[in-house]
Amino acid sequence: MLIGILAIQGDFEAHARALDKLGVKYVFVRTPEDLQGVDGLILPGGESTTHMKLLAETGLEPAIRQMAANGGAFLGTCAGAILLAREVKSPEQNSLGLADMTVMRNAYGRQLSSDVLTLPTKLREAPLEMVFIRAPIIEKTGPRVEILAEREGKPVLVRQGKVMASTFHPELTSDTTIHEQFLKLACNNNKKP
Ligand code: GLN
């Protein structure tokens, strides 16, 4: 199995450390060619407007859409979750639309400090430590989206088929649960030839 980590902007190194811990092979993705042979792609946190601009400039946007059409797995964290959403608000911007959800950017106010909360998830019995940094809120989800965790009644971790999105940063804690779940999705990959 080979995992790609989108490495054009943001905290991609932290995801690499999580995969190192799990002993998984990965490649940093900066061009469409880097997606060759990749079973799953991680879209890291950072600044989603810059990400979208660079995805268009590098030709990665159509390449990622093609990877999704071929059955690839995706994990988007914070800005990465914004990229995956079907609709982005505050302000409106273009996105990949791989998950049927509407997100509102910077929805917890303009604070630069982070919130660290320990909340229950459907993934396991013990709650999970979640780091929120200028996080979006998932306002609305479609019927195919499974909600795996919530904060104040709003989803913070969701899954639709092979697409997982968290509005928090699992790569910034020592807990690898979210990455392990994503690897399971990538592992069951029946990519078209
Ligand atoms: N506020 C950023 C955005 O809207 C996301 C922040 C993050 O990824 N930590 O793109």
Side-chain angles (χ1 to χ4, degrees), residues 29-161:
V29 171
R30 297 186 172 102
T31 66
E33 292 70 43
D34 296 333
L35 284 176
Q36 208 93 54
V38 161
D39 301 292
L41 180 66
I42 297 179
L43 309 165
E47 220 285 322
S48 56
T49 314
T50 310
H51 262 123
M52 254 347 271
K53 191 170 157 267
L54 294 173
L55 286 184
E57 281 174 17
T58 53
L60 271 167
E61 187 179 339
I64 290 174
R65 288 186 200 282
Q66 188 58 52
M67 181 184 160
N70 290 347
F74 294 87
L75 170 64
T77 60
C78 200
I82 298 171
L83 298 181
L84 290 174
R86 185 179 52 74
E87 187 186 18
V88 181
K89 288 187 185 171
S90 164
E92 270 180 36
Q93 67 185 29
N94 192 19
S95 54
L96 295 166
L98 303 185
D100 187 8
M101 59 183 185
T102 301
V103 300
M104 166 98 76
R105 296 178 60 203
N106 301 318
Y108 293 100
R110 296 184 136 257
Q111 82 281 7
L112 288 176
S113 63
S114 56
D115 280 326
V116 182
L117 304 175
T118 302
L119 299 171
T121 76
K122 283 195 186 163
L123 298 179
R124 60 167 197 212
E125 241 170 71
L128 192 78
E129 190 182 11
M130 302 179 187
V131 178
F132 294 89
I133 305 170
R134 303 199 70 210
I137 280 182
I138 299 174
E139 275 197 339
K140 218 165 56 186
T141 54
R144 285 174 305 147
V145 176
E146 188 186 358
I147 296 166
L148 299 173
E150 288 181 341
R151 168 182 175 179
E152 292 147 17
K154 299 282 189 196
V156 291
L157 177 65
V158 297
R159 180 173 54 209
Q160 177 181 337

